[in-house]
Amino acid sequence: MSPLFATGRQSMGRFRASVAFLVVLSLLTIQSAPVFGWFFEGHAQIADIAWTRLTPRARAAITDILKLGPQAYRPKSDSEADVRAAFARASGFADDIKNDRQTPAEYSVLLPQMNRLFFDGEPPANDNEANRCKTWHYYDVPLRLPEGVTAPPRRTSSILIAYPYAIVQLKRLSKTPEKERALQFWWLAWIEHLAGDAHQPLHCAESFQYEKEGDAGGNLFLLGFKDERDRQVRLHAYWDGAPNDIITHELSLIHISEPTRRRGI
């Protein structure tokens, strides 16, 4: 086993900590230094909470990275509100690049190289998940295996490896004399995104109770009702949208009178 994979195993405790995101971002300020999981709304909420906990020095370092990142993710102005909004927007970068049309040009060449980073050899050509760094988003622990059934081998490329590796890379780049802003943005955006994915339960588990080859983190588990586009709702997508749905529901309650709420309407 390579040192890279050993590092991922040793980082499990930190990986699982609920404060991991805040700890990671503080690495930008150390010594010589100058997170589909949730739908975008969920990732943005996590990033925005993190922003409120950052030190002024960390915010300044992140601002410098964002200003020279891909055009679509740069702050609209130097105001704190716009930088904060750009930081939240960057949390969706890792999902955006799953679609070739949304991949910034400067990362089109980098993406295949990064995708191969944690595989033993070349990624399987017939595996749709083995491209565009999709495997970085999750690690499915097998659950409810039928008696006598062995879980299929797990991919070597996963969030368990990518997340701690991203931390190391961003810390390393923060100490280099010549700032590689494109790479800094890449790792910052992935740290933001993976911190969210790591806390989405269906990015960490796969049930074999009803699907002999696993339910792909709830993606194959249908809930029995349809969405507004008349599509069957899958458990994974339902969970992905939960943060935004909850906030939307809470905001709707603001417009309901107190007596009406007490009647349970």
Side-chain angles (χ1 to χ4, degrees):
M1 180 177 288
S2 72
L4 177 61
F5 290 93
T7 299
R9 189 182 299 272
Q10 293 163 0
S11 300
M12 281 293 292
R14 177 178 53 187
F15 171 80
R16 289 174 174 169
S18 62
V19 296
F21 189 26
L22 306 180
V23 173
V24 167
L25 291 175
S26 69
L27 290 171
L28 288 169
T29 68
I30 292 177
Q31 296 179 7
S32 60
V35 57
F36 293 146
W38 311 106
F39 292 151
F40 170 70
E41 293 84 0
H43 281 289
Q45 290 164 33
I46 293 169
D48 195 62
I49 292 170
W51 179 265
T52 67
R53 308 293 182 86
L54 293 173
T55 66
R57 186 179 179 188
R59 290 183 183 181
I62 290 170
T63 299
D64 289 342
I65 294 173
L66 293 173
K67 283 182 176 180
L68 293 176
Q71 188 66 45
Y73 299 87
R74 293 180 186 178
K76 293 181 179 179
S77 74
D78 291 336
S79 72
E80 181 179 349
D82 281 344
V83 174
R84 181 173 177 172
F87 181 67
R89 177 73 187 90
S91 70
F93 172 82
D95 275 344
D96 293 342
I97 62 174
K98 290 179 180 178
N99 186 327
D100 181 62
R101 289 171 297 177
Q102 292 180 264
T103 303
E106 57 264 50
Y107 294 104
S108 294
V109 175
L110 182 65
L111 192 52
Q113 171 191 339
M114 289 294 182
N115 184 64
R116 293 192 297 269
L117 202 54
F118 308 121
F119 281 99
D120 289 336
E122 284 294 314
N126 61 346
D127 186 350
N128 184 55
E129 287 294 294
N131 64 79
R132 310 191 76 80
C133 298
K134 292 179 183 178
T135 56
W136 293 20
H137 293 258
Y138 61 90
Y139 178 84
D140 289 337
V141 176
L143 302 176
R144 297 175 178 172
L145 279 167
E147 187 176 352
V149 174
T150 302
R154 303 291 93 185
R155 294 183 179 87
T156 56
S157 181
S158 75
I159 191 172
L160 295 183
I161 309 301
Y163 188 55
Y165 186 82
I167 297 170
V168 171
Q169 292 305 307
L170 186 57
K171 181 179 179 181
R172 177 185 65 81
L173 289 167
S174 71
K175 295 180 178 181
T176 57
E178 294 184 7
K179 305 304 177 188
E180 299 179 71
R181 295 304 188 195
L183 276 178
Q184 282 188 314
F185 177 86
W186 171 273
W187 294 118
L188 172 65
W190 272 103
I191 291 170
E192 287 189 61
H193 190 87
L194 296 182
D197 280 351
H199 292 83
Q200 210 282 40
L202 294 174
H203 276 245
C204 307
E206 179 175 31
S207 174
F208 288 77
Q209 184 172 7
Y210 302 110
E211 300 287 341
K212 65 179 182 179
E213 295 184 2
D215 69 358
N219 278 297
L220 301 180
F221 191 101
L222 303 181
L223 293 180
F225 58 90
K226 296 183 178 181
D227 62 15
E228 64 278 3
R229 297 183 182 179
D230 201 37
R231 300 174 302 186
Q232 286 290 335
V233 176
R234 301 172 186 272
L235 178 61
H236 190 109
Y238 185 78
W239 197 285
D240 279 346
N244 190 54
D245 291 343
I246 291 170
I247 288 177
T248 301
H249 175 68
E250 292 298 319
L251 289 175
S252 71
L253 294 180
I254 295 174
H255 303 290
I256 301 175
S257 66
E258 188 62 30
T260 303
R261 279 190 297 200
R262 281 202 295 269
R263 291 198 299 269
I265 298 177

